[in-house]
Amino acid sequence: DIQMTQSPSSLSASVGDKVTITCRASQDISNHLAWFQHKPGKAPKSLIYAASSLQSGVSSKFSGSGSGTDFTLTISSLQAEDFATYYCQQNDAFPFTFGPGTKVDIK
Amino acid sequence: EVQLVESGGGLVKPGGSLRLSCAASGFTFSNAWMTWVRQAPGRGLEWVGRIKRNADGGTTDYAAPVKGRFTISRDDSKATAHLQMNSLKIEDTAVYFCCLGSGYSDFDYWGQGTLVTVSS
């Protein structure tokens, strides 16, 4: 199985901060990488697919980059509604696997 | 607006069965690929399996831990996907989410999940 790692595992940030989360795959997955936002008790939300394509209806403050094994999710200016856990996921090969998550909370 | 509503979760004994449903609205369901993902207590997200739309063969794929025990099906006439879970184990305890793939990815939209607890 393809292993996904994320760093950091958690971070504290202030409203207005730029936040960057890194995701690494254990093998080359091309651009078959997605990012999701999850708040407790809520439905997870798709942010980015194909590494850098913004999901319909998602704010442009979210951006994704990378290919191969190294990927990044950036939130350009953190807002109150962005405090959540963020997961990356590879969809290059079965089983599709998720990273362990990065929890973003308020400093 | 696409909405997904899961139902059917609950408490079941090890070795028992449960059938989850995912009712979709706001999208032409017959065009959707449907996926199930679970999250065990205090753990991350785990892909369970998916079913393609019938136009693409309606085939299914499963994660190794559930293969042979879980079955995903779909009823396009009712815009509903199902997850039949047999021979349940304690480690199947989780919140189960359904996801709808509208063409961009398998995970374009998610439901809020339904809790399955396997315990004696």
Side-chain angles (χ1 to χ4, degrees), chain A residues 19-88:
Chain A
V19 168
T20 299
I21 299 169
T22 297
C23 175
R24 177 165 288 176
S26 61
Q27 64 188 66
D28 189 338
I29 60 169
S30 184
N31 70 334
H32 301 137
L33 191 282
W35 289 97
F36 302 94
Q37 177 193 66
H38 192 200
K39 299 177 182 178
K42 302 284 190 178
K45 180 180 180 180
S46 174
L47 301 174
I48 301 284
Y49 64 95
S52 61
S53 296
L54 193 67
Q55 188 64 259
S56 176
V58 172
S59 169
S60 58
K61 64 184 170 185
F62 293 99
S63 63
S65 65
S67 67
T69 60
D70 294 311
F71 303 87
T72 299
L73 174 71
T74 299
I75 309 172
S76 60
S77 177
L78 200 68
Q79 299 303 307
E81 65 268 21
D82 302 328
F83 292 98
T85 298
Y86 292 85
Y87 294 92
C88 63

Side-chain angles (χ1 to χ4, degrees), chain A residues 43-44 49 55 87 89 96 98, chain B residues 39 45 47 104 107-108 110-111:
Chain A
Y49 64 95
Q55 188 64 259
Y87 294 92
Q89 183 230 31
F96 296 161
F98 292 84
Chain B
Q39 185 173 35
L45 299 169
W47 178 81
Y104 298 105
F107 307 90
D108 296 328
W110 295 63

